[in-house]
Amino acid sequence: MKKSTIPVKYGVLIAIGLIAYFLLLSLVGVQTNPAFSLGNGFIVAYGLYRAMRDYKLEKGSEFEYQKGFMAGLFTGFNATLIFTIFFAIYVTNINTNFLPEMLANWSSHYHVGVGIVVFVAAIMGFATTFVLTLSFMQLFKESWNIKKKHHSHPIKA
């Protein structure tokens, strides 16, 4: 049985979408506004949905809940790892003013470094992946409901 390439393919496509969206926000100058993070969720949701749908189509009648769930997780984890690496490079080499600009919006007495911010970005990506994968698998799993045949007539009182 051949291994599916869907998690890698869609993981890369989701990461490209996230990077392009982030760079577009940077061009406009709103990349530090947390409200625009909602766009990340839509990008990841759309990519995960397509990946899991294509995986189910690829497997056909051999589709299993566990394998579909793992395909969704691997897709999102691949995308998160790629985006996290890009983000770490961006805040340390490309735009070194990003972190101070972003943290200026938060009132904090703690020293927050690049490592913590990159770690939080990764955890947010993993959490989003997990929740969306659980949600989408409800659409793709086979139902256990038994189809009822209504041949009986109601009782008259």
Side-chain angles (χ1 to χ4, degrees):
M1 175 186 276
K2 76 172 193 149
K3 295 276 187 181
S4 178
T5 60
I6 288 174
V8 174
K9 173 184 159 188
Y10 278 96
V12 170
L13 289 173
I14 293 169
I16 289 170
L18 291 171
I19 292 167
Y21 178 67
F22 183 81
L23 292 175
L24 180 68
L25 292 178
S26 295
L27 286 174
V28 179
V30 294
Q31 75 276 13
T32 59
N33 188 337
F36 290 103
S37 293
L38 189 59
N40 292 345
F42 288 120
I43 293 167
V44 173
Y46 179 72
L48 279 177
Y49 175 82
R50 293 283 311 264
M52 294 169 74
R53 185 197 67 183
D54 286 0
Y55 184 79
K56 183 172 183 171
L57 290 173
E58 179 182 272
K59 294 301 179 185
S61 62
E62 295 178 10
F63 180 78
E64 297 175 7
Y65 183 91
Q66 297 84 352
K67 303 286 185 179
F69 184 77
M70 293 306 292
L73 284 182
F74 287 148
T75 300
F77 287 2
N78 288 335
T80 299
L81 288 174
I82 294 167
F83 180 77
T84 302
I85 291 167
F86 159 78
F87 185 71
I89 293 169
Y90 181 84
V91 298
T92 57
N93 295 318
I94 298 171
N95 183 1
T96 55
N97 295 326
F98 175 80
L99 198 56
E101 289 173 15
M102 185 183 78
L103 295 176
N105 295 331
W106 301 347
S107 175
S108 175
H109 300 290
Y110 301 106
H111 174 70
V112 179
V114 173
I116 294 294
V117 173
V118 170
F119 176 74
V120 167
I123 293 300
M124 287 171 49
F126 293 141
T128 301
T129 294
F130 187 75
V131 170
L132 288 173
T133 300
L134 279 174
S135 300
F136 289 144
M137 278 309 297
Q138 300 311 306
L139 298 172
F140 295 118
K141 72 179 183 177
E142 295 296 323
S143 175
W144 288 5
N145 293 336
I146 299 172
K147 297 191 191 263
K148 296 180 182 178
K149 295 181 182 179
H150 297 285
H151 294 294
S152 62
H153 300 289
I155 300 174
K156 294 182 182 178

